[in-house]
């Protein structure tokens, strides 16, 4: 699977490459340019704790759960939109 690596606040994670017109690639550009919910990433960094569990309700394509996966003991993500869920699963598979 072709993938893109995202580097955000010293955290690396991968996003599946699903083509130039796919929402995954749209997201990659926004994150890499610092234009995607920057305050959200600062909040995750502030509350990160390897002894706690993080719940991601409405996980969309998996960007926040992937970002938090090495910052918390466990991360549980919930997504009910079938299109987003497909990308979420692919993006999780793109990571170790």
């Amino acid at each position: 699977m072709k993938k893109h690596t995202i580097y955000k606040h010293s955290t690396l994670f991968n996003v599946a490459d699903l083509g130039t017109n796919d929402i995954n690639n749209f997201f990659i550009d926004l994150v890499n340019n610092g234009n995607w919910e920057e305050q959200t990433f600062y909040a995750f960094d502030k509350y990160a704790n390897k002894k706690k569990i993080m719940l991601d309700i409405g996980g969309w394509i998996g960007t926040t759960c992937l970002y938090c996966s090495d910052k918390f003991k466990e991360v549980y993500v919930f997504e009910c939109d079938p299109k987003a869920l497909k990308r979420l699963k692919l993006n999780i598979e793109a990571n170790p």
Side-chain angles (χ1 to χ4, degrees):
M1 164 191 314
K2 189 175 176 186
K3 54 191 172 184
H4 298 278
T5 300
I6 293 180
Y7 182 73
K8 187 72 174 170
H9 297 192
S10 73
T11 299
L12 291 170
F13 60 94
N14 298 314
V15 176
D17 183 344
L18 301 176
T20 56
N21 294 325
D22 192 82
I23 192 72
N24 268 6
N25 287 23
F26 164 77
F27 168 78
I28 292 165
D29 290 339
L30 288 175
V31 168
N32 286 337
N33 292 326
N35 295 323
W36 184 263
E37 298 184 14
E38 193 64 19
Q39 71 282 2
T40 301
F41 293 102
Y42 285 122
F44 290 141
D45 293 340
K46 180 178 179 179
Y47 295 105
N49 187 324
K50 292 281 198 173
K51 295 180 181 180
K52 293 188 177 184
I53 294 171
M54 186 257 197
L55 298 177
D56 187 353
I57 310 298
W60 190 45
I61 63 174
T63 53
T64 55
C65 70
L66 292 171
Y67 180 79
C68 291
S69 66
D70 70 339
K71 298 179 181 299
F72 291 86
K73 178 181 177 182
E74 295 178 19
V75 175
Y76 294 93
V77 58
F78 301 88
E79 178 55 60
C80 56
D81 178 271
K83 291 181 181 180
L85 185 59
K86 174 185 171 186
R87 285 160 182 81
L88 168 66
K89 289 177 181 179
L90 290 170
N91 289 332
I92 289 172
E93 288 175 20
N95 290 273

